[in-house]
Every structure is written in structure tokens, then in C-alpha cells.
Amino acid sequence: MDCDWPLLGPLRWLHYVNKQVKVRTGKGDEHSGWLLSVDPVSASAVLLTFSETAASVRVVMGHAVKEVEVLREADEVTAERLRAALLPPSPPSLDP
Amino acid sequence: SISSSAASESDSEQLQKEQHARSVLREGFLRCLLSMTNKKVQFQMYENVKVEATFGASDIDVLNFQVSDLHTPIGVQKEALIRCQDVISFTFDI
Amino acid sequence: SLRSSVAPPPERPGERRTAEMKKLYGEDAAKIMAMEAAMQLTFERNCDRKQPKYWPVIPLKL
């Protein structure tokens, strides 16, 4: 999608949240991941990538974002995982 | 008139939606920054500079990151501030 | 009294920011302001304690 990312505003940023996106920077790098959030102050995009065993976050600064393309929507399992990703660590479960 | 009061009602509804969206997004971002505290973070910066540091905190305007044990190409700087304008992206494991 | 006859009450510190935050975040303004205040405090306290210097000294991106 061709857009002036930092100017889109909260409602249009929210549209990308919980979708798998590809972020292209002005330097030409591409980063794919699930979009967790967009900082409304700096327009920075928070991307989560995860495998069976590990997860990492990449934040692309708003001033560096050139283009954001939606790749796909989250299914239920992924959506749940995304919701849990930024929550404060939960106390250990009582279940064994 | 009826139509203008209806219009201002939908304006205020629109404003509330936007305020809610903004607060959800901001909270998500602040939580992300909080979750970075004391984590090793890799910064990809302009001029093809890549450094690693232990994250401390960000100011709320997202202008500066306070970090420790910054591994620069010419050595380790124990305490440092990184200008957010110099940063393209950064990554950490969760 | 002096106040009621001469001028509107002086703006208290933080009042303007509260109004701005209210405009941006609506009913969640207090929550966001609390989170931001905690973060800013940590930032400033760390800077006071550790006296970090900018790296690099000259900005990469002018």
C-alpha cells in the first residue's frame, strides 16, 4: 500500500493491527511480522515474529517506514497469541 | 436543526472512536517499551551502523533511548543515549 | 477578591497538558498519562544516576 504512514492516524493504523504485514523502510529493508501496535506519537510499528520455540519483536521507527503491506489476517489461535504478547507477565499458573 | 445536531453527534462518535484507537495503540507501544527493560536490544541505525545494548528506558516523546553496555564498532560504552532519529529499527527476543 | 475582579484564575502547572491529553485520548487520558509519567520518571532517574552520553556524538542523520 502506498501511503504517508506517519500521517495515517489512529483509526487507519488500527486497521493494520493483528494482521501480518510487510514493512518496507526508506533504506529498502523489508520486515515481515504480525503488527502488534503503532505508536500514535512516533508512528513506530511494533512487529511480532514467532516460531514454535521463540518469539521476537521488531520496532520500525515511524520516520523510517516507507510502505506497509497487509499479507494476511490472523486466525483465532494467532490472534490469541498476539493479544498475550504484550501483556505483563502473568503469575505462574496453579495448574501443573 | 435536526440534521446539524445529528452531524455533531456522529462527529463526537467519530472523535471517541479515534481517541479509543489512539489510546489502545499508545498503551500497546508503551507496554512494548516496558517489556524491553533490561533486555538485550539490537539497533539497526543509519549509515549501516548496527549496535547492541541493554535497554533502560525511553523518554515519552520517543526522542531518546537510555541504554547500558552499548557495543559500538570501536568498543563498549557503559552508559549511553541513542537518538531515536538515528535508528531505523530495533529488535529483541521475548 | 483580587482574583475574581481582575483576571481568570492562573493556569495551574500541568493543566494545559491534561487538557491536551484529554483531547487526544478521551476517557483513557488518565491511564495513558499515568503510564507515561512512570516511564518518563524512570528515564530521568536513570539519566541522573548514570549520566549517559550521546552515541554517536554527532547524529548519524542530520
Side-chain angles (χ1 to χ4, degrees), chain B residues 22-23 27 64 66 83, chain C residues 24 28 31 46 54 56-57:
Chain B
R22 188 180 282 113
S23 86
E27 182 172 349
N64 300 288
Q66 173 261 320
R83 297 176 192 85
Chain C
L24 288 172
D28 296 326
K31 178 172 74 173
N46 288 358
Y54 274 111
V57 176

Side-chain angles (χ1 to χ4, degrees), chain A residues 10-11 13-14 17 27 29 31 37-41 46 48 55-61 63-64 86 88, chain B residues 14 17-18 21-22 24-26 28-29 31-32 44 46 60-62 84-85 87-94:
Chain A
L11 290 171
W13 286 323
L14 196 63
V17 167
K27 288 273 148 190
D29 317 302
H31 302 290
S37 196
V38 180
D39 176 31
V41 173
V46 182
L48 178 73
S56 69
V57 170
R58 179 175 294 273
V59 178
V60 185
M61 302 302 292
H63 60 78
L86 286 182
Chain B
Q14 183 69 12
K17 266 190 204 156
E18 185 170 312
R22 188 180 282 113
V24 167
L25 293 169
R26 182 66 167 161
F29 182 71
R31 283 195 190 287
C32 168
Q44 192 203 344
Y46 287 97
I60 59 172
D61 299 315
V62 203
C84 297
Q85 277 296 326
V87 177
I88 298 171
S89 74
F90 54 91
T91 182
F92 61 99
D93 292 333
I94 57 170

Side-chain angles (χ1 to χ4, degrees), chain C residues 21-53:
Chain C
M21 292 294 282
K22 189 94 189 157
K23 215 182 283 174
L24 288 172
Y25 296 103
E27 56 191 17
D28 296 326
K31 178 172 74 173
I32 300 296
M33 286 180 81
M35 290 183 78
E36 288 189 351
M39 184 141 89
Q40 186 69 23
L41 187 69
T42 306
F43 177 82
E44 284 167 15
R45 200 188 48 206
N46 288 358
C47 287
D48 280 352
R49 261 199 221 142
K50 299 161 184 272
Q51 300 285 314
K53 300 283 183 290

Side-chain angles (χ1 to χ4, degrees), chain B residues 5-65:
Chain B
S5 81
S8 76
E9 207 162 279
S10 83
D11 275 2
S12 100
E13 213 172 90
Q14 183 69 12
L15 178 66
Q16 272 185 27
K17 266 190 204 156
E18 185 170 312
Q19 288 170 333
H20 185 66
R22 188 180 282 113
S23 86
V24 167
L25 293 169
R26 182 66 167 161
E27 182 172 349
F29 182 71
L30 294 176
R31 283 195 190 287
C32 168
L33 291 179
L34 282 177
S35 73
M36 285 164 67
T37 311
N38 296 326
K39 287 223 172 79
K40 284 229 166 69
V41 175
Q42 291 83 41
F43 294 92
Q44 192 203 344
M45 303 169 74
Y46 287 97
E47 304 302 328
N48 213 16
V49 172
K50 291 185 174 115
V51 293
E52 186 178 271
T54 304
F55 193 80
S58 167
D59 57 15
I60 59 172
D61 299 315
V62 203
L63 297 174
N64 300 288
F65 295 139

